[in-house]
Amino acid sequence: SSQPKVALLGASGGIGQPLGLLLKQDPLVAHLALYDVVNTPGVAADLSHIDSKAKVTAHTGAAELHAAVKDADVIVIPAGVPRKPGMTRDDLFNTNAGIVRDLVETIAKAAPKALIAIITNPVNSTVPIAAEVLKKNGVYDKRRLFGVTTLDVVRSQAFVAELKGHDATKTVVPVVGGHAGITIIPLLSQTKPSTKFSDEEIAKLTPRIQDAGTEVVNAKAGAGSATLSMALAGARFANALVRGIKGDKNVQCAYVESDAVKGVQYFSTPVELGPNGVEKILGVTSYEQKLIDASVAELNKNIEKGVAFVKGK
Ligand code: APR
């Protein structure tokens, strides 16, 4: 709509609060609906005192989810439990899979046309879970469902700029694949402005980008995973979706249903965003086939696990 409503599910959490702050400051957002199982009145009262345009509403607990998402143009989901040291994103599966399934069940009924951006990990599996729930309700549109991989792009750009002494705000690095470990494939060869990397630099940067989340988990020593950088990435992606809705087409990397790479159903590549979400999948130009192959094998396991969770196998 011309007065975009963004619903934030998991608004009271470590990601949710700073993400709400950034969305409240986004001049394109007219209504910010905060949903969580706890603490939304306080977070909403606090944010509502900021002198920006967005109207803020609070919705607490399952009975208020319908109102939170109804008429939303964009729904951003960071609800769930975060990683602790020693855990992989996949260790979050059982708890977070159920949370995403139940949230999307209501979205399918109350906001079937919304663009849905999933942050809840493991994103490789939670996106297929959401897709299966939407399909079950007869409202799945592959153009409207996204796994947020923007943090992988943000990190790649920060690390490349740091290594090369570039201006981070002018460095562009596409990242394809999925959002965990070896499924994260930074396309360093496509860095802009055009940048040369030695084999040694690529051999160091690639695993650092792939394990960057774990760097934060370990540094936080039990207090959780990335929240502030994830909030920035989530807000940047939500803003891109809203811009697309308003007719300002733009390109972002995102984990979507895609035929960009043979043999895998969901894959992040640059996509063009417009009024209905994904307008065009721009795909991957040639990159190290070995990295793609390893990613596809792992992604297929993650995707199958998500599908089986919903289908009850
Ligand atoms: N509905 C809505 N909100 C929920 C639900 C639910 N069913 N279950 C939990 N939440 C809320 C919690 O109340 C909390 O406010 O989700 C929020 C999660 O916040 P944190 O525990 O601080 O976790 P955070 O660091 O924000 O990470 C959340 O995002 O990146 C991923 O891996 C991360 O999956 C994790 C998620």
Side-chain angles (χ1 to χ4, degrees), residues 9-17 35-39 61-62 65 77-83 89 92 95-96 98-100 102-103 119-123 151 179 220 223-227 230:
L9 316 185
S12 306
I15 295 168
Q17 291 202 36
Y35 173 82
D36 203 298
V37 289
V38 291
N39 295 340
L65 176 57
I77 311 184
V81 293
R83 280 199 284 167
R89 289 188 181 86
L92 304 171
T95 311
N96 288 358
I99 291 173
V100 169
D102 296 347
L103 291 172
I119 292 171
T120 309
N121 275 310
V123 162
L151 182 52
H179 180 62
K220 290 197 175 180
S225 49
T227 53
M230 184 61 243

Side-chain angles (χ1 to χ4, degrees), residues 245-297:
I245 287 171
K246 289 176 94 75
D248 174 12
K249 290 189 181 169
N250 66 94
V251 173
Q252 304 291 327
C253 292
Y255 183 66
V256 297
E257 182 169 341
S258 170
D259 50 16
V261 170
K262 240 179 84 195
V264 66
Q265 195 182 358
Y266 298 89
F267 206 82
S268 175
T269 70
V271 301
E272 186 183 288
L273 300 174
N276 295 298
V278 177
E279 298 282 329
K280 212 183 287 168
I281 293 184
L282 301 174
V284 268
T285 49
S286 66
Y287 190 68
E288 274 207 52
Q289 194 58 41
K290 262 200 284 184
L291 290 184
I292 300 269
D293 291 346
S295 167
V296 165

Side-chain angles (χ1 to χ4, degrees), residues 142-154:
K142 65 182 179 188
R143 298 173 304 168
R144 297 173 188 273
L145 176 65
F146 305 85
V148 180
T149 58
T150 314
L151 182 52
D152 302 311
V153 173
V154 166

Side-chain angles (χ1 to χ4, degrees), residues 290-310:
K290 262 200 284 184
L291 290 184
I292 300 269
D293 291 346
S295 167
V296 165
E298 178 66 19
L299 271 173
N300 275 325
K301 279 190 259 168
N302 300 162
I303 292 165
E304 181 44 42
K305 195 168 170 184
V307 172
F309 180 79
V310 177

Side-chain angles (χ1 to χ4, degrees), residues 4-11 19 23 31-35 65-79 100 103-120 130 134 144-148 234 237-239 241-242 245:
K5 172 177 175 180
V6 177
L8 177 58
L9 316 185
L19 178 49
L23 291 170
H31 178 181
L32 175 61
L34 305 177
Y35 173 82
L65 176 57
H66 195 280
V69 297
K70 190 175 178 304
D71 300 322
D73 298 282
V74 172
I75 302 173
V76 186
I77 311 184
V100 169
L103 291 172
V104 175
E105 191 68 56
T106 297
I107 293 169
K109 293 174 178 100
K113 293 266 178 203
L115 304 184
I116 306 172
I118 299 189
I119 292 171
T120 309
L134 294 165
R144 297 173 188 273
L145 176 65
F146 305 85
V148 180
F237 188 68
N239 172 271
L241 292 177
V242 174
I245 287 171

Side-chain angles (χ1 to χ4, degrees), residues 28-250:
L28 297 181
V29 177
H31 178 181
L32 175 61
L34 305 177
Y35 173 82
D36 203 298
V37 289
V38 291
N39 295 340
T40 43
V43 176
D46 197 351
L47 286 180
S48 71
H49 290 184
I50 293 171
D51 56 351
S52 64
K53 185 175 89 177
K55 174 179 90 173
V56 180
T57 55
H59 311 268
T60 315
E64 296 183 8
L65 176 57
H66 195 280
V69 297
K70 190 175 178 304
D71 300 322
D73 298 282
V74 172
I75 302 173
V76 186
I77 311 184
V81 293
R83 280 199 284 167
K84 299 271 160 66
M87 289 172 83
T88 66
R89 289 188 181 86
D90 196 52
D91 290 332
L92 304 171
F93 184 87
N94 282 329
T95 311
N96 288 358
I99 291 173
V100 169
R101 178 195 58 202
D102 296 347
L103 291 172
V104 175
E105 191 68 56
T106 297
I107 293 169
K109 293 174 178 100
K113 293 266 178 203
L115 304 184
I116 306 172
I118 299 189
I119 292 171
T120 309
N121 275 310
V123 162
N124 291 356
S125 304
T126 52
V127 168
I129 286 172
E132 290 305 313
V133 173
L134 294 165
K135 281 179 203 169
K136 203 159 59 72
N137 285 276
V139 296
Y140 178 58
D141 176 350
K142 65 182 179 188
R143 298 173 304 168
R144 297 173 188 273
L145 176 65
F146 305 85
V148 180
T149 58
T150 314
L151 182 52
D152 302 311
V153 173
V154 166
R155 284 170 169 155
S156 300
Q157 291 169 174
F159 297 169
V160 165
E162 179 188 83
L163 180 73
K164 295 293 193 180
H166 292 169
D167 178 347
T169 64
K170 297 204 171 79
T171 304
V172 177
V173 183
V175 182
V176 302
H179 180 62
I182 59 161
T183 70
I184 298 169
I185 306 173
L187 302 185
L188 294 169
S189 63
Q190 293 173 35
T191 297
K192 296 221 172 71
S194 173
T195 304
K196 284 232 165 9
F197 297 95
S198 67
D199 290 349
E200 202 185 339
E201 284 174 326
I202 289 179
K204 271 201 184 139
L205 266 177
T206 303
R208 182 170 182 218
I209 292 163
Q210 292 175 328
D211 296 337
T214 305
E215 233 176 74
V216 178
V217 169
N218 291 340
K220 290 197 175 180
S225 49
T227 53
L228 304 172
S229 52
M230 184 61 243
L232 179 283
R236 198 176 278 183
F237 188 68
N239 172 271
L241 292 177
V242 174
R243 272 190 284 142
I245 287 171
K246 289 176 94 75
D248 174 12
K249 290 189 181 169
N250 66 94

